[in-house]
């Protein structure tokens, strides 16, 4: 009985707290207007509950903070780098490792090595910065996620899966020589933080082998994906998270990682390559002028030590169970209130279906981003849109891309908020939903040419 009770509470205790401030509603209305109705442009101190991202917003453990005191800041050959490489080899089974300052640094280094002008990078569903770095490398990003991902209200255990038939057809239509590589994002953020099954990864590996292609992972949330495999896929229920991770990555040729997610650190990234020494040599050559020497890659020694320890901590099933169930807790509260969300909830966030929430607001007026603005006005909560504003414009026609999935992402930092905070979030969403018919969309006053959602400025449509 005690074992059952302990699963109801956080598997940690709190040693330090940070005070939160709540601005008045009048102040919040003024602040969001001054920010061009873009939550990215708000000052953090003006936010009550910050669900903008889970990237770099985790609380580190006492073990990680202790490791920070052991930072070896040698320019070359730092002992912290050596420890990090040992941990990556132990967990993932990959032989060659370089750190980067964060995930997009890893993409910026690796993608130009792999992509030739006009080649396609096929993935389950690329995230915004990944798509941008493919395009900056003069490649073309293609999403081939399973169709079940678009059926937001219905349960499917692995909505992050590739559509294997679509993948096969695309490769044969375009020709393998025109495919730079296959990229599997685990979990699949843009589909709603949805996991990819081991069986699907095996099928993708077969496609890669058949057509002579690399298979890389975007491994930012690798442990959360492994937890879902353990919970939902037959044959893995008795395997450890580490065993599942090792098998999952055995099917890949390498990975990029934003360590700011499942490595539980505030800064850092990785490129890891299984056994292709020639590719590793090209990566090192590219890394040095862009990120730093190969044994620090834009990081301090103390950051690498915290990352190494975080990679081991995140494999804890007690931690992962609490983490995933806190996301589910918020998702269940919203579903009970009739709020349309991607179901089942994913690993790092609850994704509200903005088109169903505000059906009267055209996609060109950014319904999901509009909900983010209203949540800040309602309760000082900062969320982020993963939809039309993020999707941007077609690079050829310059027309708005209107994605099938248009979400508000309520992204929950790791080991930061309690379920009392989730109760506040749920109540705020319900209040906005109750007055949804009076909400109007937004239009640009300033639109950047790339990754526009970060710095765009908008105003309400009259």
């Amino acid at each position: 009985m005690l074992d059952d009770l302990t699963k109801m509470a956080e598997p940690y205790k709190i040693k330090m707290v940070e005070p939160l401030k709540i601005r008045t509603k009048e102040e919040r209305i003024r602040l969001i207007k001054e920010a061009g109705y873009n939550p990215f442009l708000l000052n953090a101190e003006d936010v009550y509950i910050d669900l903008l991202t889970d990237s770099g917003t985790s609380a580190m453990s006492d073990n990680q903070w202790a490791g920070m005191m052991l930072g070896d800041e040698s320019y070359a050959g730092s002992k912290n780098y050596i420890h990090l490489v040992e941990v990556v080899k132990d967990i993932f089974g990959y032989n060659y490792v370089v750190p980067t300052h964060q995930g997009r640094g890893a993409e910026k280094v690796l993608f130009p090595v792999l992509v030739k002008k006009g080649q396609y990078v096929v993935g389950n569903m690329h995230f915004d910065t990944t798509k941008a770095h493919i395009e900056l490398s003069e490649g073309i990003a293609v999403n081939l996620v399973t169709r079940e991902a678009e059926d937001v209200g219905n349960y499917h255990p692995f909505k992050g899966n590739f559509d294997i038939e679509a993948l096969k057809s695309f490769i044969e239509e375009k020709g393998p020589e025109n495919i730079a590589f296959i990229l599997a994002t685990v979990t699949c953020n843009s589909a709603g933080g949805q996991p990819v099954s081991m069986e699907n990864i095996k099928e993708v590996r077969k496609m890669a082998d058949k057509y002579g292609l690399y298979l890389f992972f975007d491994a930012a949330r690798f442990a959360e994906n492994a937890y879902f495999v353990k919970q939902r896929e037959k044959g893995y229920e008795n395997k450890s998270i580490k065993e599942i991770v090792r098998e999952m990555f055995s099917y890949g040729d390498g990975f990029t990682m934003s360590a700011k997610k499942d490595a539980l650190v505030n800064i850092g990234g990785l490129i890891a390559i299984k056994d292709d020494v020639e590719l590793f040599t090209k990566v090192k050559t590219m890394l040095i002028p862009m990120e730093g020497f190969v044994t620090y890659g834009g990081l301090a020694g103390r950051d690498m030590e915290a990352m190494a320890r975080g990679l081991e901590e995140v494999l804890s099933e007690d931690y992962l169970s609490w983490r995933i169930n806190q996301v589910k807790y918020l998702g269940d509260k919203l579903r009970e209130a009739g709020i349309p969300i991607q179901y089942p909830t994913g690993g790092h966030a609850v994704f509200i279906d903005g088109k169903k929430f505000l059906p009267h607001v055209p996609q060109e007026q950014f319904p999901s981003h509009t909900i983010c603005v209203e949540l800040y006005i309602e309760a000082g909560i900062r969320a982020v849109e993963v939809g039309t504003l993020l999707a941007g414009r077609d690079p050829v026609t310059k027309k708005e891309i209107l994605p099938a999935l248009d979400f508000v992402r309520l992204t929950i930092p790791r080991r930061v908020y309690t379920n009392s905070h989730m109760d506040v979030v749920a109540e705020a969403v319900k209040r906005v939903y109750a007055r949804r018919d009076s909400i109007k969309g937004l239009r640009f006053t300033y639109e950047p040419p790339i990754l526009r959602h970060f710095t765009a400025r908008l105003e309400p449509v009259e």
Side-chain angles (χ1 to χ4, degrees):
M1 182 62 71
L2 181 60
D3 287 343
D4 293 337
L5 287 173
T6 58
K7 294 186 183 302
M8 296 171 62
E10 293 86 344
Y12 53 83
K13 60 182 179 181
I14 298 166
K15 287 189 175 183
M16 184 175 70
V17 297
E18 176 185 348
L20 295 174
K21 291 189 287 188
I22 181 69
R23 305 296 185 189
T24 66
K25 189 168 186 176
E26 291 73 20
E27 288 175 321
R28 297 195 298 271
I29 292 170
R30 174 180 58 81
L31 288 165
I32 196 67
K33 181 178 181 180
E34 290 174 356
Y37 295 92
N38 187 347
F40 274 104
L41 304 182
L42 291 166
N43 291 332
E45 66 178 2
D46 295 325
V47 176
Y48 176 46
I49 299 175
D50 202 341
L51 306 184
L52 185 75
T53 182
D54 63 324
S55 181
T57 56
S58 300
M60 291 203 303
S61 68
D62 54 354
N63 179 50
Q64 287 176 291
W65 280 108
M68 295 276 281
M69 297 298 102
L70 301 176
D72 174 4
E73 306 308 336
S74 302
Y75 188 91
S78 159
K79 66 182 181 183
N80 308 120
Y81 169 75
I82 293 168
H83 182 207
L84 177 62
V85 171
E86 290 171 348
V87 168
V88 171
K89 285 183 177 180
D90 179 54
I91 294 173
F92 300 95
Y94 285 18
N95 291 312
Y96 304 114
V97 182
V98 291
T100 61
H101 79 281
Q102 61 182 50
R104 66 193 63 177
E107 293 173 345
K108 184 62 176 173
V109 169
L110 181 65
F111 289 2
V113 173
L114 296 173
V115 180
K116 296 176 183 177
K117 185 176 181 179
Q119 282 189 315
Y120 299 93
V121 178
V122 289
N124 42 354
M125 200 167 186
H126 301 295
F127 196 56
D128 58 345
T129 50
T130 306
K131 178 175 181 288
H133 280 121
I134 291 167
E135 292 174 353
L136 287 169
S137 300
E138 300 187 282
I140 303 166
V142 176
N143 295 327
L144 297 174
V145 73
T146 181
R147 294 179 181 177
E148 279 83 3
E150 296 181 12
D151 194 356
V152 174
N154 284 337
Y155 181 91
H156 185 280
F158 293 104
K159 285 185 173 181
N161 280 354
F162 280 79
D163 183 329
I164 297 297
E165 285 303 313
L167 176 62
K168 182 177 184 290
S169 297
F170 187 86
I171 295 171
E172 292 184 346
E173 176 190 341
K174 301 298 182 182
E177 69 279 6
N178 294 313
I179 310 297
F181 61 97
I182 302 171
L183 183 65
T185 302
V186 291
T187 56
C188 189
N189 188 358
S190 295
Q194 296 295 306
V196 184
S197 73
M198 194 75 78
E199 183 61 34
N200 191 252
I201 291 169
K202 291 179 186 178
E203 290 297 316
V204 175
R205 178 73 257 174
K206 289 178 184 177
M207 288 290 112
D209 289 339
K210 180 177 180 179
Y211 297 105
L213 299 172
Y214 280 125
L215 170 58
F216 278 80
F217 287 96
D218 177 337
R221 300 175 180 89
F222 73 96
E224 292 173 5
N225 200 93
Y227 181 83
F228 282 120
V229 168
K230 182 177 176 69
Q231 295 296 309
R232 297 179 183 175
E233 194 161 0
K234 186 178 180 180
Y236 292 93
E237 57 273 6
N238 296 319
K239 290 185 179 292
S240 70
I241 298 298
K242 187 174 180 179
E243 288 172 326
I244 294 169
V245 169
R246 178 60 82 96
E247 180 183 344
M248 187 162 58
F249 283 84
S250 73
Y251 303 117
D253 297 296
F255 68 75
T256 60
M257 178 189 288
S258 169
K260 296 164 68 175
K261 284 81 168 177
D262 269 358
L264 302 173
V265 290
N266 306 126
I267 196 68
L270 287 174
I271 301 171
I273 295 165
K274 183 190 287 180
D275 52 24
D276 190 331
V277 67
E278 182 180 353
L279 177 59
F280 181 58
T281 300
K282 291 178 181 178
V283 165
K284 289 191 294 182
T285 302
M286 182 72 76
L287 180 105
I288 292 170
M290 295 180 65
E291 290 283 302
F293 189 62
V294 294
T295 61
Y296 76 89
L299 295 176
R302 56 184 175 266
D303 297 321
M304 290 188 286
E305 186 62 32
M307 189 195 306
R309 295 181 181 215
L311 285 168
E312 293 177 317
E313 287 183 15
V314 79
L315 301 176
S316 164
E317 195 170 332
D318 287 341
Y319 156 75
L320 285 167
S321 175
W322 169 255
R323 163 68 175 166
I324 301 300
N325 280 293
Q326 184 177 48
V327 178
K328 183 178 182 296
Y329 176 85
L330 176 58
D332 287 348
K333 281 195 165 289
L334 296 185
R335 288 190 78 230
E336 288 165 7
I339 311 295
I341 67 168
Q342 175 67 289
Y343 179 70
T345 47
H348 68 291
V350 176
F351 287 70
I352 298 171
D353 187 331
K355 290 192 293 185
K356 291 182 179 178
F357 194 109
L358 295 180
H360 60 286
V361 175
Q363 267 191 274
E364 296 90 339
Q365 294 178 11
F366 315 118
S368 295
H369 186 82
T370 299
I371 296 166
C372 294
V373 170
E374 294 298 327
L375 277 174
Y376 179 74
I377 291 171
E378 185 66 45
I381 295 164
R382 177 158 64 173
V384 69
E385 186 249 32
V386 179
T388 307
L389 183 62
L390 179 146
R393 296 181 182 273
D394 184 285
V396 177
T397 67
K398 304 304 178 185
K399 291 183 178 179
E400 289 281 1
I401 297 171
L402 303 178
L405 299 175
D406 201 305
F407 289 133
V408 177
R409 190 182 74 177
L410 302 171
T411 334
I412 302 174
R414 295 164 180 82
R415 304 189 294 205
V416 171
Y417 293 116
T418 69
N419 280 356
S420 294
H421 293 104
M422 298 303 103
D423 291 339
V424 173
V425 174
E427 181 59 31
V429 174
K430 287 189 280 187
R431 291 183 183 185
V432 173
Y433 193 60
R435 57 179 175 82
R436 62 191 182 279
D437 291 342
S438 65
I439 296 173
K440 297 180 180 179
L442 298 163
R443 62 188 175 198
F444 286 116
T445 61
Y446 164 66
E447 180 184 2
I450 191 168
L451 293 173
R452 63 188 188 178
H453 52 295
F454 286 114
T455 56
R457 300 184 72 85
L458 303 102
E459 65 181 4
V461 173
E462 294 300 327

